[in-house]
Amino acid sequence: MKALLDRARSFKRRVDFESDEYRKLAVGQFPEALFITCSDSRVIPALITGARPGEIFELRNAGNIVPPHDAYGAASGEAATIEYALEVLGVQDLVVCGHSHCGAMGALKHGADLSGLPRVDAWLDYARPALEPVLGGDGGDPALREVVQLNIRNQLAVLRDYPVARQQLDAGRLRLHGWYYEIDTGKVHELDADGGFQVHGS
């Protein structure tokens, strides 16, 4: 924690806040994409994408799960973030980025006993039914590629049911993207039109 605190204290000295880039941030934000990904500390959207401050709007939670738009009734952090990004910020690209070696997906895959983590268990219930075909089994792949990639597809399907997203999609003002990030290699696999994930060369 001391190292984090020291870097926070020296942040203003390390960054040129007199530059136009940072002055513009005080005027408002104009992100290019809404990036929905896992809370996992090994997944850093700005590092993966090379994004500068103000370029991506982030939504992070365990397992990059998008609950059904009416799951919470009147309010939810996920629904509020999606609504704000699309309606207020006018974001035109939305990325759901899952990752290898995901703890949330691993717990689902292996049927982990989550009785001591009732809220985690309830949260994962949003993803569990649609992942049923790939849960259980020998669990020989530590990267959990099959489970994570199916979860990405499933969350994109849930997003399409959000009224605000459906309206933007129908109007041609929104593009949905699925990414699978490999923690151990740094590779980003992109979901293609055929439903597969491909690594594109630079």
Side-chain angles (χ1 to χ4, degrees), residues 20-40:
D20 286 343
E21 177 183 7
Y22 281 91
R23 289 181 184 224
K24 288 176 183 175
L25 292 178
V27 175
Q29 59 172 322
F30 307 95
E32 298 176 19
L34 169 58
F35 202 91
I36 300 176
T37 194
C38 189
S39 301
D40 194 298

Side-chain angles (χ1 to χ4, degrees), residues 26-104:
V27 175
Q29 59 172 322
F30 307 95
E32 298 176 19
L34 169 58
F35 202 91
I36 300 176
T37 194
C38 189
S39 301
D40 194 298
S41 62
R42 300 166 295 178
V43 180
I44 307 172
L47 185 64
I48 296 167
T49 63
R52 300 289 299 159
E55 290 184 343
I56 55 176
F57 198 62
E58 295 182 26
L59 171 56
R60 304 186 65 165
N61 60 46
N64 44 270
I65 292 169
V66 180
H69 70 91
D70 57 353
Y72 294 104
S76 79
E78 288 77 19
T81 300
I82 292 164
E83 182 180 89
Y84 189 81
L86 299 186
E87 291 283 18
V88 178
L89 299 178
V91 166
Q92 295 186 339
D93 288 279
L94 193 160
V95 179
V96 174
C97 179
H99 67 95
S100 67
H101 307 88
C102 179

Side-chain angles (χ1 to χ4, degrees), residues 168-185:
Q168 302 287 8
L169 286 166
D170 290 345
R173 293 194 297 266
L174 179 64
R175 294 174 293 270
L176 300 182
H177 310 269
W179 291 7
Y180 169 70
Y181 171 64
E182 287 184 345
I183 285 177
D184 51 333
T185 68

